[in-house]
Amino acid sequence: MMDLFAPYPAVRLLFFVVAGIVAGTAALLTLDSWLLLTLLFFLLLVCGFAYESIRLKHTPFPHQFTAIAYLLFIFCAFAAGSHYRFNTVSDRALLHFVGHPVLLYGKVDGRPSHSEKGIGWTLQVQEVFYGGRTEQLSDRAKIFMRNGTGDPPELRNGDMVRVKGTIQLIPGAANQGEFDPRRYGRMQRTYVQLFCSGPWHLLHEGKSSLNFFERYVVIPVYDFIVASVDRLIPEGGERKLVRGVLLGEREVLDETVFEAFKTTGTAHVLAVSGLNVGLLALGIHVLLQRFKVTAYGRWFSFALIAFILIVFSYVTGNSPSVKRAAIMSVVLFGGETLGRRSYGVNSLAVSDIIILLFDPFDLFNPGFLMTNAAVLAILLVYPLLYPPGHKEEGVLRAVFRFFLGSFFVSLAAIIGVSPVIAYYFGTFSVVSLAANLPVVFFSTVMMYALMPMLLFNLFAPFPASLFGMSGWLFARLTLDSALVFSKVPYASISLKPDIVEVVIYYAAGTATAWFFYRKAWGRLLIALLLGCNALLWYGMADQSQPGKGLVTVNLGRNLALLYATESETVIVDAGKSRRDAERIMRQIDEYHLPPPTAAVQ
């Protein structure tokens, strides 16, 4: 247990990486200053290495000067890169064509998302035609094309297309405190969007610019999974759930089903996550046990596991949770291959550093933060709630231990991830602990059925159909469990903490867990009381004046008006759905308006 709290080098390095990304994004210094500091600390690092190689040949650890120079170099390098990506725009960008109709030519970047209204994707623009001439450039644009009559066009990652429409800026947040598409697009270096009125304004060139790996490995595997699911799982909500779990295609789910999973705090089972990667890695690990008796066999097994996990990550869209789990699995198996013990917290930090190296702004992705919070809580909190070392005695006791362990795993994950969910989405699921037990159990068994289904479908259709029927059954049970718990009164409540409250929560939780491990019960109680008092006094110290006057709430096609005095609020046009009402109530809390006393529709 002490290993979990050891001062891991990867954790320390991750701290400086995160600090550098935050400092660069906030533009604390100019880009030139960050670059000069990066160069300075790099030269100091080189000098430190040279001094150690000449004067300190037999020193087992780096000198303090070298270690400090290295950490500051990493901090400044990530700050410079983040500042450049977030706060600079190329002169040759699509921003010059805002408000003008253009014809764009480029590559579909990523998997297009389908909905009832149309198709959306990101276009890596190579040419823009405007005013009778063609200009070469390199930029990105969000494209949305409305559905026409007939079947929608088949677009894939890497396809070359021409699309016609008017360039517009990506809009900001519709209401105060809500998701900001413009800031998110800025992190992806995408500043504009184009609306295409229909497929008649789209020309599919049919030339794929994918590399060899994507064209001959990723695409065939993706097509095989889609064909297997469509053949072996009957059409309906179960098939949509299976595709969402296997391929990360959440947009195919019905809106009511997705809301049920969100309400019950079980939406994580809809996304391809560490569970999928873990089951895949575990299955491959078991099948390759006989190869691991020799050094060559261990390296062959490691290379094969790493290759399969990379393919799976690409097939599922390279979401942060999958990348984190895949990289973490590779690190763990790599340590086993080298004969070294791997630690969960250190492996998690290594995977985070690699992810942030490729895309620093994954740090601000809610999915990245939620997966890290859940995994950290499972690694650190779960052993405190359910210590290992229990001796199983009989089948009934083993089954009881399994369900008890699953309960505490769910409880640890909820403890870790709930503040992040509340901060980003403003909700807290009251029934999440009870709902996660059946939903996670049925979805896990469903995954155990789907993996052999895909494997047997390569050479034995009949066994594959049996596993497909099992997968359909447990998909049905998963959906029914989520729908039942979503209908519980007050299944979800509105809760929107700010960043200070989230920090207080995690600080108090960390201190409580540490003293629990040390069995310092008096200090544990003091840490818990201090955390509760800090949250209470911080809330009471909020001196925000009650809002009043007129506030508009953007509901999409409708607009709600809030007329507020010092004591009451009147709502004009309360929307058409429950979601509209929840959105209005969140804006009342956001502006500190008095409770509503009347509504005029």
Side-chain angles (χ1 to χ4, degrees):
M1 188 65 187
M2 291 186 64
D3 294 333
L4 293 177
F5 296 96
Y8 296 119
V11 176
R12 294 197 301 269
L13 182 60
L14 178 62
F15 173 80
F16 283 88
V17 169
V18 171
I21 295 172
V22 173
T25 306
L28 299 180
L29 298 175
T30 63
L31 180 59
D32 293 339
S33 300
W34 286 123
L35 292 175
L36 288 175
L37 287 174
T38 303
L39 178 60
L40 172 63
F41 289 117
F42 175 75
L43 294 176
L44 292 177
L45 179 61
V46 172
C47 293
F49 281 138
Y51 176 76
E52 290 189 20
S53 62
I54 296 174
R55 300 292 300 274
L56 303 174
K57 294 183 179 181
H58 304 291
T59 303
F61 298 101
H63 192 269
Q64 291 182 355
F65 175 83
T66 307
I68 293 174
Y70 170 69
L71 293 175
L72 292 177
F73 165 72
I74 293 295
F75 169 79
C76 293
F78 273 89
S82 302
H83 186 286
Y84 172 76
R85 293 189 57 176
F86 190 73
N87 297 298
T88 59
V89 181
S90 173
D91 293 334
R92 296 172 55 82
L94 291 172
L95 285 172
H96 298 291
F97 301 94
V98 170
H100 301 290
V102 297
L103 179 64
L104 302 180
Y105 172 74
K107 180 181 72 172
V108 177
D109 187 9
R111 182 188 303 165
S113 60
H114 297 261
S115 65
E116 297 179 356
K117 297 180 180 179
I119 308 174
W121 70 91
T122 299
L123 186 69
Q124 187 68 44
V125 181
Q126 300 177 5
E127 295 179 1
V128 55
F129 179 80
Y130 171 70
R133 61 187 183 90
T134 300
E135 182 176 342
Q136 306 288 331
L137 51 79
S138 179
D139 203 353
R140 293 162 57 88
K142 289 182 60 178
I143 311 295
F144 181 80
M145 184 184 69
R146 181 181 294 170
N147 286 332
T149 57
D151 296 331
E154 289 290 337
L155 291 180
R156 288 190 171 188
N157 177 33
D159 287 353
M160 306 302 295
V161 298
R162 297 184 187 273
V163 59
K164 182 180 179 181
T166 301
I167 295 289
Q168 299 290 346
L169 284 175
I170 295 178
N175 299 297
Q176 183 172 299
E178 294 185 348
F179 172 70
D180 191 347
R182 181 173 297 173
R183 180 178 176 83
Y184 178 78
R186 188 176 173 185
M187 292 180 181
Q188 307 299 318
R189 296 191 67 80
T190 306
Y191 304 97
V192 298
Q193 63 182 12
L194 182 143
F195 176 79
C196 181
S197 56
W200 50 89
H201 284 164
L202 174 74
L203 179 61
H204 194 181
E205 294 287 329
K207 299 177 182 179
S208 178
S209 62
L210 296 176
N211 56 41
F212 179 86
F213 174 73
E214 292 174 325
R215 181 177 300 177
Y216 296 104
V217 178
V218 176
I219 294 299
V221 171
Y222 175 83
D223 291 340
F224 168 75
I225 294 177
V226 171
S228 299
V229 171
D230 290 345
R231 188 178 74 85
L232 298 173
I233 305 295
E235 186 176 359
E238 297 81 11
R239 179 191 290 181
K240 295 178 180 179
L241 176 63
V242 169
R243 289 190 60 166
V245 170
L246 284 179
L247 300 171
E249 298 178 347
R250 291 189 301 177
E251 65 273 7
V252 301
L253 291 170
D254 296 332
E255 190 66 27
T256 55
V257 173
F258 188 64
E259 284 297 322
F261 279 93
K262 286 178 59 179
T263 301
T264 56
T266 57
H268 56 87
V269 304
L270 302 178
V272 183
S273 62
L275 173 64
N276 311 55
V277 178
L279 292 176
L280 180 62
L282 179 62
I284 302 170
H285 177 71
V286 172
L287 292 175
L288 297 177
Q289 280 297 320
R290 297 296 298 271
F291 289 92
K292 297 185 177 183
V293 296
T294 64
Y296 290 108
R298 288 194 297 271
W299 280 107
F300 170 77
S301 302
F302 170 72
L304 183 60
I305 290 175
F307 176 76
I308 293 176
L309 291 180
I310 291 173
V311 173
F312 184 72
S313 182
Y314 269 86
V315 167
T316 55
N318 275 326
S319 65
S321 58
V322 175
K323 288 190 293 184
R324 189 264 314 152
I327 295 172
M328 188 175 178
S329 299
V330 170
V331 171
L332 290 173
F333 285 118
E336 179 189 18
T337 304
L338 293 172
R340 299 179 180 178
R341 183 179 178 184
S342 299
Y343 299 98
V345 177
N346 208 47
S347 300
L348 178 63
V350 171
S351 64
D352 286 344
I353 292 171
I354 296 175
I355 292 174
L356 296 176
L357 180 64
F358 287 100
D359 188 356
F361 299 125
D362 268 338
L363 176 65
F364 306 106
N365 188 319
F368 177 85
L369 297 176
M370 285 189 291
T371 54
N372 274 274
V375 172
L376 269 178
I378 293 173
L379 290 174
L380 300 179
V381 178
Y382 171 69
L384 302 178
L385 300 175
Y386 191 65
H390 300 285
K391 294 183 178 180
E392 312 294 353
E393 299 177 1
V395 177
L396 293 179
R397 186 176 292 273
V399 173
F400 173 76
R401 295 288 188 191
F402 171 78
F403 282 102
L404 187 62
S406 300
F407 171 79
F408 282 116
V409 166
S410 299
L411 178 59
I414 291 171
I415 290 173
V417 79
S418 292
V420 182
I421 296 176
Y423 176 76
Y424 278 101
F425 304 108
T427 60
F428 175 75
S429 178
V430 179
V431 299
S432 60
L433 182 58
N436 266 276
L437 291 178
V439 172
V440 172
F441 173 75
F442 290 135
S443 63
T444 302
V445 180
M446 178 186 68
M447 285 298 302
Y448 276 118
L450 294 177
M451 292 299 179
M453 179 196 76
L454 296 176
L455 178 63
F456 279 109
N457 196 40
L458 290 170
F459 55 87
F462 179 71
S465 64
L466 296 180
F467 283 106
M469 292 171 61
S470 300
W472 177 90
L473 173 63
F474 287 105
R476 181 71 262 167
L477 293 173
T478 302
L479 291 173
D480 289 343
S481 301
L483 291 172
V484 167
F485 278 99
S486 67
K487 296 176 181 178
V488 174
Y490 303 103
S492 179
I493 61 174
S494 296
L495 181 65
K496 181 71 172 176
D498 60 19
I499 189 63
V500 177
E501 292 171 318
V502 173
V503 170
I504 293 174
Y505 173 89
Y506 282 118
T510 302
T512 302
W514 172 253
F515 291 129
F516 185 92
Y517 159 69
R518 299 295 297 271
K519 297 183 179 179
W521 309 118
R523 296 181 181 181
L524 182 149
L525 183 60
I526 292 174
L528 189 61
L529 292 176
L530 284 176
C532 294
N533 274 274
L535 289 173
L536 177 64
W537 285 106
Y538 176 77
M540 294 179 62
D542 187 5
Q543 299 297 326
S544 301
Q545 296 295 325
K548 60 180 181 179
L550 175 64
V551 175
T552 60
V553 182
N554 187 347
L555 301 177
R557 294 186 176 182
N558 298 323
L559 188 69
L561 301 179
L562 306 178
Y563 291 95
T565 64
E566 294 181 353
S567 59
E568 59 184 9
T569 299
V570 176
I571 303 174
V572 178
D573 193 349
K576 298 181 179 180
S577 64
R578 177 182 176 182
R579 178 183 295 182
D580 291 341
E582 293 174 350
R583 203 169 181 181
I584 291 172
M585 293 306 298
R586 283 198 295 267
Q587 289 303 301
I588 290 176
D589 294 336
E590 191 75 26
Y591 285 95
H592 302 283
L593 301 181
T597 55
V600 181
Q601 187 68 10

